[in-house]
Amino acid sequence: MTRHAVVAAAAASMALSLTACGGETGSGDSADKGSSTKIGLLLPENKTSRYEALDRPKFEEAVRGTCLDCEIVYNNAVSDIVKQKQQFDQLIAGGVRVIALDPVDATKAAGWVKEAKAKNKGLKIVAYDRAIAGADAYVSHDNTKVGELQGEALIDALGDKASDASIVMINGDEKDPNAGQFKEGAHNALNGKVGKIAYEASGEWDPKIAGEKMSAAISNLGKSKIDAVYSANDGMAGGIIATLDDAGIKRIPVGGQDAEKAAIQRIIAGTQTFTVYKSPLELAPKAAEVAVDLLMDLPLRAKSEVNGIPSHLLDPVIVDRTNIQSTVISEGIYTADDLCTDELAEKCAELGIK
């Protein structure tokens, strides 16, 4: 029996059960008030374009593709922890049984999850892209591997200069456990392979703050003492590259992650060296699949565990000038028309982007 058939059979069985019981309302434990058809999706911020442009639509599409009766309730916290807590509570009050949660602050979210699950025994939580203690499942990319790929790509870009290179590192928000894993992976790759990490700070996932930290690094080190920049994501890389350009520092390796449209265009233009592509064609649909399985009380088919939580860890891919066509274009994330503006048309042709 295919998974679609299993989900359909489970949905039909649940519907009959609800009808026999006179619907979803009733007395007793608040777990009985959860909706059999609602799945919540809570994303953390909108400064990183992938969340609204890729994660949300791919998640919603995947849920609807396997569960015709499912309703998706969506909110974005716009980097506000208090707002996300309110959104989380509203979903539960609205009868949502399964929530895919990408937290602004994973530590605080673990407290919400513990409290909510104690009061609502049927509540299920999918930790989306960021690990949350107490979640029922975790779906992400291998975040340490992401950092390692970033560090290795920076070393490759430096070539023979790597062993003497002076590196600036602008990391993600320290409240985000993923940021710590990216940083750990990057240090695994860079330590002992480059001259030194000359300056390191958090850009807090904010392009403006990242640009300010880059400006501080330039002031502290001097323009001629910076050979490459590690940026934990593409949004911050944009702010960093603008600051480097304003300071007259050009053509040094700068890399990020997320394969944002603007980052791919900078790679085509030659101002950004690489990004890490974490395919939403894998992440969002896998999280949606897990959410539907939890909703239907089907067994999870997790391939691993992280801190005792059934987990799916997906493989990231480096994207640079050599493989734009075979990654983000071939997978349909962007078209050549999306990326190749009039000013980039010649460079796109040189790279075989079509």
Side-chain angles (χ1 to χ4, degrees):
M1 184 180 287
T2 67
R3 180 175 177 277
H4 283 270
V6 171
V7 170
S13 175
M14 186 174 291
L16 287 171
S17 174
L18 288 170
T19 302
C21 294
E24 296 177 7
T25 59
S27 60
D29 195 295
S30 58
D32 296 331
K33 300 176 184 177
S35 167
S36 65
T37 60
K38 288 183 181 179
I39 294 174
L41 174 63
L42 297 180
L43 296 181
E45 46 106 339
N46 57 4
K47 292 175 185 174
T48 305
S49 65
R50 56 165 272 211
Y51 289 115
E52 295 295 331
L54 298 172
D55 291 70
R56 176 189 179 183
K58 293 299 179 183
F59 182 92
E60 292 176 341
E61 177 185 322
V63 169
R64 294 188 179 112
T66 56
C67 183
L68 296 177
D69 294 328
C70 286
E71 176 187 350
I72 300 115
V73 185
Y74 171 74
N75 272 302
N76 190 303
V78 295
S79 303
D80 188 325
I81 297 170
V82 173
K83 181 185 289 287
Q84 190 170 61
K85 176 60 162 65
Q86 292 170 343
Q87 293 168 347
F88 181 78
D89 290 343
Q90 286 166 359
L91 289 183
I92 295 168
V96 175
R97 261 190 68 202
V98 178
I99 300 174
L101 171 61
D102 189 346
V104 177
D105 184 324
T107 301
K108 285 187 169 59
W112 313 341
V113 169
K114 182 178 180 180
E115 181 181 357
K117 286 172 75 71
K119 296 177 180 177
N120 304 270
K121 71 178 182 182
L123 179 66
K124 304 292 184 182
I125 304 295
V126 180
Y128 183 99
D129 205 26
R130 292 171 175 146
I132 305 169
D136 297 277
Y138 173 44
V139 181
S140 185
H141 286 83
D142 186 332
N143 295 317
T144 303
K145 181 65 174 177
V146 170
E148 290 172 351
L149 287 176
Q150 289 174 303
E152 290 164 2
L154 211 58
I155 291 168
D156 289 345
L158 286 163
D160 293 341
K161 299 177 181 177
S163 61
D164 296 319
S166 177
I167 309 297
V168 170
M169 290 186 69
I170 306 298
N171 300 310
D173 193 328
E174 293 172 356
K175 297 189 298 294
D176 178 356
N178 287 11
Q181 293 170 346
F182 301 145
K183 177 180 174 180
E184 177 188 359
H187 275 285
N188 289 346
L190 293 170
N191 292 353
K193 301 287 182 60
V194 298
K196 61 180 177 179
I197 308 298
Y199 181 93
E200 186 169 8
S202 170
E204 301 179 25
W205 297 137
D206 188 314
K208 181 175 182 293
I209 293 172
E212 292 168 352
K213 296 298 174 67
M214 190 68 239
S215 182
I218 294 168
S219 297
N220 289 345
L221 303 174
K223 294 181 183 181
S224 64
K225 301 295 184 181
I226 299 171
D227 297 307
V229 183
Y230 163 88
S231 173
N233 79 350
D234 288 335
M236 296 195 302
I240 288 163
I241 289 166
T243 299
L244 291 169
D245 188 58
D246 289 344
I249 304 172
K250 300 183 184 298
R251 302 297 174 180
I252 67 169
V254 181
Q257 72 162 306
D258 288 332
E260 292 189 354
K261 177 182 173 182
I264 300 295
Q265 290 176 316
R266 289 193 295 268
I267 292 170
I268 294 168
T271 58
Q272 183 167 327
T273 312
F274 64 85
T275 185
V276 176
Y277 176 47
K278 303 182 297 184
S279 175
L281 302 184
E282 296 180 351
L283 178 64
K286 180 57 69 175
E289 175 188 300
V290 170
V292 172
D293 284 350
L294 287 171
L295 186 71
M296 301 299 174
D297 294 321
L298 297 174
L300 297 180
R301 292 154 291 167
K303 296 180 179 179
S304 60
E305 286 191 354
V306 174
N307 297 325
I309 298 172
S311 302
H312 293 272
L313 299 180
L314 309 171
D315 291 327
V317 177
I318 284 287
V319 175
D320 58 22
R321 288 167 62 84
T322 68
N323 65 342
I324 293 170
Q325 182 71 36
S326 63
T327 53
V328 294
I329 291 181
S330 290
E331 288 203 4
I333 303 304
Y334 308 117
T335 66
D337 288 343
D338 292 332
L339 300 172
C340 299
T341 60
D342 289 344
E343 66 177 14
L344 291 177
E346 186 175 339
K347 291 183 182 293
C348 282
E350 291 172 4
L351 297 174
I353 297 172
K354 57 189 178 181

